[in-house]
Amino acid sequence: VGDRFEAGERVLLIDSRGRNYLITLSAGAAFHFHRGIVDHDHLIGAFDGARVTSTQGESLIALKPTLSEFVLKMPRGAQVVYPKDLAAILVQADIFPGARVIEAGAGSGALTIALLRAVGPDGYLTTYEVREDFAATARDNIEAFLGKVENLELKVADIYDGISEGEVDRVVLDLPEPWRAVAPAAEALREGGALAAYMPTVVQVQALAAALEDDIRWALVKTTETLVRSWHVRGRSVRPDHRMVAHTGFITTARRVAAD
Ligand SMILES: C[S@@+](CC[C@H](N)C(=O)[O-])C[C@H]1O[C@@H](n2cnc3c(N)ncnc32)[C@H](O)[C@@H]1O
């Protein structure tokens, strides 16, 4: 027996074909799909993991979405960081419970949600987002998944103009010109701190790595990409799936060290 669903909560409904629908529970409302209708009132008060039957007899599984399921379904302004890359960023940037972290930009808030979970209630996240509309989308998505958060400051500001926080543990970047945030990040990070940047193109990686290598305050500059291949496992048919998400982005990391 797990948690019960409440009105206002997001619930993922999965049909017998594996199709996913993310709904927001509302008393008196109904979910319509090609195999009938499910009243929200049948779900409100039911347990996470419950099975429900539509008016046409289709059985659905009702689950609280995981972080990965939520970020792939949530409303997007900017392109989100894919779950495989969220996982890699958290470990490669060494995000730990209690860490003080700077992020830019917030975009749709996928990486923000992952960072908030990883720093936990004792950590603190400050996120720079230059576009007010994206900041609003990010805030809605963050609150839809995590509820009200006390340890986040979402600033509408340009990180290239500087970071006003100091002595932070980690800086995480997902924006078009991360090399322009290298000097602000070096100022904000404590010695021993770490930087991670996520970029879709090699041209960005090259420019960022050059900026980091040129500045004595950075060491251990590394770049990786993460390929995840899912498998089809049915009886004797056990093989990789034919399709995969091939390219998303590269992750470059570096450590902030003493200048002398
Ligand atoms: C690819 S999106 C980030 C997506 C986000 N990581 C997510 O998972 O949803 C890049 C974001 O950086 C923001 N941005 C671009 N330049 C910026 C700057 N100089 N300072 C702060 N934010 C910036 C853009 O407005 C955009 O929202």
Side-chain angles (χ1 to χ4, degrees), residues 97 146 152 181:
L146 296 174
L152 168 69

Side-chain angles (χ1 to χ4, degrees), residues 71 74-82 86 89 103-113 115 127-135 138 141 155-161 172-177 180-181 198 200:
V71 301
M74 71 188 193
R76 296 179 191 189
Q79 178 65 47
V80 299
V81 176
Y82 255 73
L86 291 174
I89 290 168
E103 181 203 11
S108 307
L111 183 53
T112 315
I113 292 171
L115 290 169
T127 299
Y128 285 70
E129 171 53 57
V130 81
R131 283 184 53 171
E132 211 153 308
D133 54 338
F134 285 171
N141 285 333
K155 286 185 171 178
V156 178
D158 186 332
I159 200 168
Y160 303 150
D161 290 342
V172 180
L173 304 171
D174 177 15
L175 37 64
E177 298 178 314
R180 294 178 62 192
Y198 176 71

Side-chain angles (χ1 to χ4, degrees), residues 93-167:
D94 192 42
I95 307 297
F96 57 90
R100 290 154 305 149
V101 181
I102 304 291
E103 181 203 11
S108 307
L111 183 53
T112 315
I113 292 171
L115 290 169
L116 279 168
R117 263 208 178 173
V119 301
D122 296 333
Y124 199 88
L125 179 65
T126 307
T127 299
Y128 285 70
E129 171 53 57
V130 81
R131 283 184 53 171
E132 211 153 308
D133 54 338
F134 285 171
T137 304
R139 184 173 288 109
D140 288 347
N141 285 333
I142 295 159
E143 287 185 2
F145 191 70
L146 296 174
K148 283 260 175 252
V149 280
E150 304 289 334
N151 58 345
L152 168 69
E153 186 183 3
L154 185 48
K155 286 185 171 178
V156 178
D158 186 332
I159 200 168
Y160 303 150
D161 290 342
I163 298 173
S164 42
E165 296 71 23
E167 289 292 298

